[in-house]
Amino acid sequence: MDKLSLLKQYRKSIELVSNKDLLNIEKENMPEKWIEIFKETDKTRKKDKLIALWNDVCEKELSNTISYLKENLLEFELIVDNGQYAVLYSVKSENDEILYYEGGIPTSSIYISEMQQDWSNVPESIKGFYEKLHNGFYYLPSRAMGLVPVERTTHFEDYEWGILKELDEPLGINMATTYGFFENGMGGYVAIDLNNCIDDVATLWFTNGKPEYNVDFWDIVDEWIVIGLQDN
């Protein structure tokens, strides 16, 4: 099966953007640095520019992810789905399968999501990832095992959590100010309580187990993304 047919199993309206179409994209829909990367015709230089952008934004926070992409990224292309642009990453897993990851293009939609009022309280390193690199980066078929787009973050207050009845200790987060930025697709979240997030302190939250408080957001996210990239 060709790549596009495979992708359409998950998103009916997904399309690959050709180099010709790239020239017609309006600047408000695509940051200049992304246009510059996709205009690069030399494959090696194109990948180098991409890795340089990752390094500029999150070299310290996602060092293992960047290292894995550097070694195992086969190709990356621009895609569009219902008017929303994103980057499709084709990454080789440890058992030589090709895994497709999606990185949303950062646009002004970040500021008009439900999080709009709280966005200014999000730690700078997380805001930097979403505003300068990707509005989410995750395994395309499940839309999980990665950082979700801002508009799909889990506001903990909006959900019924059965696990709350089973917890012996007092709850260590405020549900009204807690958002899940990372989902593993199996009931695991890396969440930030905006009232308590100095130094990127996060909570590892499970729908069926005890939460772990005061973990480092990026340590967990970096580790989990690489686990997914190696063998989703």
Side-chain angles (χ1 to χ4, degrees):
M1 187 186 293
D2 71 82
K3 185 188 291 181
L4 192 57
S5 305
L6 182 70
L7 296 173
K8 283 182 179 287
Q9 290 183 332
Y10 305 105
R11 310 270 184 82
K12 286 191 172 65
S13 58
I14 204 166
E15 295 292 345
L16 296 167
V17 177
S18 70
N19 288 345
K20 197 176 101 190
D21 291 339
L22 181 69
L23 301 172
N24 301 322
I25 293 172
E26 291 173 17
K27 287 207 169 84
E28 60 265 29
N29 294 328
M30 176 88 54
E32 188 65 48
K33 60 199 162 192
W34 275 112
I35 290 177
E36 189 192 316
I37 288 170
F38 279 110
K39 277 185 178 170
E40 177 57 67
T41 51
D42 182 274
K43 263 192 159 180
T44 305
R45 280 204 299 268
K46 188 176 172 184
K47 182 176 172 180
D48 287 347
K49 284 183 177 180
L50 174 78
I51 297 298
L53 179 58
W54 276 78
N55 278 326
D56 283 348
V57 176
C58 53
E59 184 173 18
K60 182 167 66 76
E61 292 83 2
L62 290 175
S63 58
N64 297 314
T65 300
I66 294 169
S67 181
Y68 193 88
L69 288 174
K70 209 169 171 181
E71 291 297 315
N72 298 285
L73 178 62
L74 302 173
E75 191 177 15
F76 64 99
E77 300 150 277
L78 194 61
I79 52 173
V80 63
D81 183 10
N82 287 315
Q84 291 287 317
Y85 291 99
V87 182
L88 176 72
Y89 289 73
S90 304
V91 188
K92 189 171 71 174
S93 73
E94 286 207 316
N95 50 8
D96 288 339
E97 280 182 57
I98 295 176
L99 302 177
Y100 296 111
Y101 271 69
E102 180 174 8
I105 292 289
T107 65
S108 54
S109 66
I110 286 174
Y111 309 107
I112 54 170
S113 69
E114 271 184 52
M115 277 200 75
Q116 187 176 12
Q117 283 179 301
D118 290 328
W119 189 243
S120 59
N121 299 321
V122 172
E124 287 301 322
S125 63
I126 299 174
K127 277 199 295 198
F129 182 91
Y130 279 86
E131 292 175 357
K132 297 174 189 166
L133 184 61
H134 282 309
N135 181 17
F137 177 76
Y138 47 87
Y139 183 50
L140 185 141
S142 65
R143 296 195 184 197
M145 211 53 191
L147 290 159
V148 297
V150 168
E151 57 275 17
R152 287 185 50 242
T153 51
T154 302
H155 189 193
F156 275 38
E157 189 179 50
D158 296 343
Y159 290 80
E160 293 287 330
W161 302 98
I163 190 69
L164 292 176
K165 296 172 189 149
E166 298 169 34
L167 298 178
D168 303 327
E169 299 161 11
L171 194 58
I173 51 175
N174 178 346
M175 294 305 221
T177 53
T178 297
Y179 291 87
F181 282 89
F182 185 104
E183 290 179 28
N184 71 354
M186 296 171 287
Y189 299 80
V190 187
I192 290 277
D193 181 348
L194 300 181
N195 278 347
N196 174 29
C197 57
I198 291 168
D199 295 330
D200 301 333
V201 162
T203 296
L204 201 45
W205 182 267
F206 300 99
T207 52
N208 56 357
K210 215 168 110 177
E212 287 180 43
Y213 300 114
N214 300 317
V215 299
D216 182 284
F217 179 85
W218 290 109
D219 281 357
I220 305 288
V221 167
D222 195 23
E223 185 183 335
W224 277 11
I225 289 177
V226 171
I227 288 169
L229 288 168
Q230 286 172 334
D231 184 23
N232 213 312

